[in-house]
């Protein structure tokens, strides 16, 4: 009986989505003279609220042109918007702002897809000690975090001073590849004061944890939020157009700071508590991202974005 009820329910949901909702949209368009994309752009403020609605509208459109817009190349975004407006019989001369709004949102959508691909490429690239660029980044990380201490050698126990597990950091990057190193270096260079404070605190017996290893694990957390689509809310609110790698790295910095705050507030020193604290942070961030106005990074708060009212 339950199975039959579930099938009937699914049928009516399907009927609503495929028939009633499309019929309702047709009636609304006739009454207002606006298509769904126009209603979204004119009635919803720029940012995640608008872009998520546009993304959903394009994805579930019955027209292949609208569906394919989600995978348009960035160089084709402007042309794609022109084609959509022609399809929807919208006069660009009398609706100039609409094209600008749609273009901004579509740049965010295709930019997010491009960012996922870029991050995945970095994650899959293994650290190569024979690559001078990789070695240069690793040395920069040491010099930034330990400016007053010189390495006695490339293979050294000193690496433990910034939170690596052994004498050679290359083995610690296996899980996240070059992405882990890039994130740690970004944190050290772009938020140096905070990074140094976090490192200092992590070395104290009362709150000890491995700074670099935790950073690589937090990189995995940031990566999972990105590929799952959960970060769309945040990135659509902080990137006026295409989200970039720096936006992702700023998110990593935020997650590192929040992990550290949780660790200190819970007064922990046992690394066995790491997974619990990470899960706690993950759950909280997911709750925050359900708010379409949420911007995670304090220095990129929604109120400070100054987004053009496109």
């Amino acid at each position: 009986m339950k199975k039959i009820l579930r099938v009937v329910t699914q049928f009516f949901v399907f009927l609503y989505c495929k028939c009633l909702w499309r019929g309702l949209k047709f009636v609304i368009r006739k009454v207002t003279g606006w298509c769904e994309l126009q209603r979204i752009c004119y009635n919803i403020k720029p940012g995640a609220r608008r872009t998520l609605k546009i993304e959903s509208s394009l994805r579930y459109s019955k027209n292949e042109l609208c569906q394919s817009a989600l995978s348009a190349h960035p160089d084709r975004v402007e042309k794609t918007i022109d084609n959509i407006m022609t399809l929807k019989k919208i006069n660009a001369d009398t609706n100039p702002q609409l094209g600008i709004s749609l273009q901004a949102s579509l740049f965010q959508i295709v930019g997010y897809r491009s960012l996922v691909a870029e991050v995945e490429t970095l994650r899959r690239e293994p650290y190569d000690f024979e690559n001078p660029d990789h070695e240069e980044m690793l040395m920069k990380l040491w010099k930034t975090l330990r400016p007053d201490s010189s390495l006695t050698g490339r293979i050294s126990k000193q690496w433990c001073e910034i939170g690596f597990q052994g004498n050679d950091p290359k083995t610690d990057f296996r899980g996240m590849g070059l992405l882990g190193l890039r994130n740690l270096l970004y944190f050290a260079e772009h938020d140096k004061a905070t990074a140094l404070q976090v490192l200092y605190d992590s070395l104290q017996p009362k709150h000890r944890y491995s700074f670099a290893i935790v950073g690589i694990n937090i990189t995995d957390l940031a990566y999972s939020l990105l590929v799952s689509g959960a970060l769309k809310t945040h990135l659509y609110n902080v990137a006026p157009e295409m989200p970039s790698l720096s936006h992702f790295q700023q998110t990593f910095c935020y997650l590192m700071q929040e992990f550290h705050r949780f660790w200190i507030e819970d007064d922990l020193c046992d690394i066995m508590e790491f997974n619990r604290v990470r899960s706690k942070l993950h759950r909280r961030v997911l709750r925050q991202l359900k708010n379409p106005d949420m911007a995670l990074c304090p220095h990129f708060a929604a109120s400070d974005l100054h987004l053009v009212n496109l």
Side-chain angles (χ1 to χ4, degrees):
M1 184 63 185
K2 288 183 178 179
K3 185 176 181 180
I4 295 175
L5 183 60
R6 184 166 62 250
V7 171
V8 171
T9 302
Q10 290 174 345
F11 171 75
F12 279 107
V13 169
F14 173 82
L15 186 66
Y16 172 79
C17 294
K18 292 295 184 180
C19 302
L20 297 181
W21 175 238
R22 284 181 177 172
L24 180 60
K25 289 201 297 183
F26 176 80
V27 172
I28 293 174
R29 174 157 191 173
K30 288 297 182 182
V31 172
T32 64
W34 288 353
C35 70
E36 185 176 37
L37 292 175
Q38 286 175 295
R39 295 194 300 273
I40 292 170
C41 289
Y42 292 149
N43 295 328
I44 301 177
K45 66 180 182 179
R49 284 184 182 272
R50 177 189 288 177
T51 299
L52 288 170
K53 286 282 188 181
I54 289 174
E55 189 171 12
S56 177
S57 178
L58 294 174
R59 175 171 290 112
Y60 295 110
S61 172
K62 61 183 180 181
N63 189 280
E64 290 185 4
L65 173 62
C66 293
Q67 294 174 10
S68 64
L70 297 175
S71 56
H73 188 277
D75 293 341
R76 297 282 299 170
V77 165
E78 187 173 350
K79 179 61 176 176
T80 299
I81 295 302
D82 290 341
N83 291 339
I84 290 175
M85 292 184 69
T86 300
L87 173 70
K88 299 289 185 179
K89 299 179 180 179
I90 300 171
N91 190 323
D93 294 330
T94 57
N95 295 273
Q97 202 65 27
L98 178 64
I100 297 173
S101 299
L102 287 173
Q103 182 173 306
S105 288
L106 190 55
F107 267 126
Q108 289 182 316
I109 294 166
V110 301
Y112 191 95
R113 190 190 75 247
S114 297
L115 176 59
V116 171
E118 183 179 5
V119 167
E120 182 63 30
T121 297
L122 287 172
R123 187 186 74 86
R124 289 177 176 272
E125 183 176 357
Y127 182 88
D128 181 2
F129 70 93
E130 294 182 341
N131 186 318
D133 292 334
H134 294 189
E135 287 286 286
E136 182 182 1
M137 283 190 284
L138 184 60
M139 291 303 112
K140 276 185 180 179
L141 180 64
W142 172 267
K143 291 175 182 177
T144 305
L145 294 176
R146 306 296 278 177
D148 299 324
S149 180
S150 298
L151 276 172
T152 57
R154 169 62 180 78
I155 308 298
S156 169
K157 290 183 178 180
Q158 287 176 283
W159 289 112
C160 295
E161 295 176 19
I162 60 174
F164 287 104
Q165 287 182 323
N167 296 344
D168 191 349
K170 72 175 184 180
T171 59
D172 293 328
F173 292 120
R174 287 173 184 167
M176 285 287 107
L178 207 59
L179 183 64
L181 176 56
R182 291 282 292 267
N183 277 355
L184 285 168
L185 183 57
Y186 186 93
F187 186 31
E189 290 187 330
H190 289 79
D191 204 351
K192 186 174 180 178
T194 303
L196 289 174
Q197 183 63 54
V198 170
L199 174 62
Y200 174 82
D201 292 343
S202 74
L203 293 171
Q204 304 310 304
K206 185 179 179 181
H207 299 297
R208 184 178 295 276
Y209 64 83
S210 299
F211 174 86
I213 296 300
V214 165
I216 293 169
N217 274 278
I218 295 301
T219 292
D220 178 66
L221 173 58
Y223 168 78
S224 67
L225 290 169
L226 179 73
V227 298
S228 70
L231 275 186
K232 285 181 179 180
T233 300
H234 165 67
L235 292 176
Y236 289 169
N237 280 328
V238 302
E241 288 195 343
M242 292 184 66
S244 65
L245 182 61
S246 63
H247 289 111
F248 175 76
Q249 292 173 315
Q250 288 155 6
T251 305
F252 164 77
C253 294
Y254 167 79
L255 293 173
M256 276 292 286
Q257 293 176 54
E258 287 301 285
F259 172 86
H260 183 69
R261 184 172 65 83
F262 281 9
W263 190 267
I264 298 299
E265 286 179 355
D266 287 356
D267 199 23
L268 301 172
C269 63
D270 184 357
I271 196 60
M272 298 300 291
E273 293 284 344
F274 171 80
N275 286 334
R276 183 184 67 80
V277 177
R278 173 185 155 141
S279 295
K280 176 182 175 182
L281 174 60
H282 192 187
R283 290 193 301 271
R284 199 199 70 163
V285 170
L286 288 176
R287 285 196 302 270
Q288 289 176 314
L289 292 172
K290 289 181 179 179
N291 175 4
D293 296 320
M294 185 65 195
L296 293 175
C297 303
H299 47 297
F300 279 93
S303 60
D304 298 326
L305 292 178
H306 306 299
L307 291 178
V308 179
N309 188 22
L310 299 173

